[in-house]
Amino acid sequence: MILDAIKNRYSVRHYKDQPVEDDKLAEVLEAGRLAPSGCNTQPWKLVVVRDRAVIRSMVHAIGGQQFVGQARVLVVACKNGEGYNIGHQYDGAIIDITIALDHMTLQAASMDLGTCWLGNYDGDEIRALLDIPPENPVVAILALGYPDENHPQQPRPRKPLGELVCWEKFKG
Ligand SMILES: Cc1cc2nc3c(=O)[nH]c(=O)nc-3n(C[C@H](O)[C@H](O)[C@H](O)COP(=O)(O)O)c2cc1C
């Protein structure tokens, strides 16, 4: 059930010292590959980092968040080309990439893997470390690994549905 994976997922900030199997990583990446995108543009490139030394060297660029160094995989999502022009207003690439990464977090959760979205990073520093060209901005990073059960976490609260949804017409 998708809802089970959604309910199981939380931001994992303590990872076990255990590698992620290649087949599981492949399934996580496949979940992203199959994600929808505006006009099927698929405007992303994922840099998958598994080298532990490189991961550790990226901690500084990712806001100095020390737990990132425990992750076994970092997925650095870069914009690659233009997305669909959403609502005739803006490039939808960021939406597309977000959907792909979210698919990946849920696939990971369904296999008892943990993820954490990372938005606190210095794009220029990441670019330099991973040879990412300037035309491929870093949109988000995902940490991936097995959660350390010694650090269980309560689900974070969410706004009630009534605050997030209105029916038929916008009501503030
Ligand atoms: C776009 C985005 C960027 C985020 N950046 C960070 C980050 O840099 N570091 C971090 O520890 N958590 C980060 N998070 C995780 C959020 O803090 C977390 O999703 C939120 O508090 C809800 O908690 P939950 O994921 O455990 O349900 C980010 C989440 C999103 C969606």
Side-chain angles (χ1 to χ4, degrees):
M1 286 274 292
I2 294 276
L3 197 56
D4 290 334
I6 290 172
K7 286 180 176 170
N8 280 339
R9 190 214 57 83
Y10 64 95
S11 292
V12 173
R13 299 186 179 90
H14 298 273
Y15 292 94
K16 264 197 214 163
D17 192 12
Q18 179 181 338
V20 176
E21 298 85 344
D22 287 349
D23 58 331
K24 292 198 176 170
L25 177 56
E27 285 187 43
V28 169
L29 295 172
E30 181 68 352
R33 189 182 75 85
L34 295 175
S37 57
C39 230
N40 206 20
T41 44
Q42 304 161 71
W44 61 81
K45 176 81 90 177
L46 305 180
V47 184
V48 181
V49 182
R50 290 177 297 182
D51 185 311
R52 298 210 82 190
V54 177
I55 289 174
R56 289 187 187 120
S57 77
M58 292 171 68
V59 168
H60 180 266
I62 306 177
Q65 301 180 82
Q66 293 301 316
F67 74 90
V68 170
Q70 299 172 0
R72 282 309 184 114
V73 181
L74 293 181
V75 178
V76 179
C78 303
K79 185 173 180 286
N80 194 28
E82 298 291 302
Y84 181 67
N85 186 15
I86 301 281
H88 309 289
Q89 285 186 88
Y90 61 87
D91 178 355
I94 307 291
I95 291 180
D96 298 332
I97 294 166
T98 307
I99 295 169
L101 293 184
D102 204 54
H103 272 44
M104 290 164 61
T105 65
L106 297 181
Q107 179 57 33
S110 78
M111 297 188 299
D112 297 323
L113 281 161
T115 55
C116 189
W117 282 86
L118 301 167
N120 175 12
Y121 59 83
D122 181 318
D124 290 335
E125 236 185 289
I126 296 289
R127 176 193 312 291
L129 286 166
L130 303 181
D131 293 343
I132 299 170
E135 61 271 24
N136 298 94
V138 178
V139 172
I141 302 176
L142 271 191
L144 175 72
Y146 281 99
D148 181 349
E149 305 91 354
N150 295 319
H151 296 272
Q153 192 177 300
Q154 293 299 314
R156 297 213 63 203
R158 297 292 194 257
K159 294 178 183 175
L161 200 61
E163 236 181 87
L164 298 167
V165 174
C166 52
W167 300 89
E168 316 313 340
K169 294 217 171 176
F170 189 95
K171 295 179 192 98

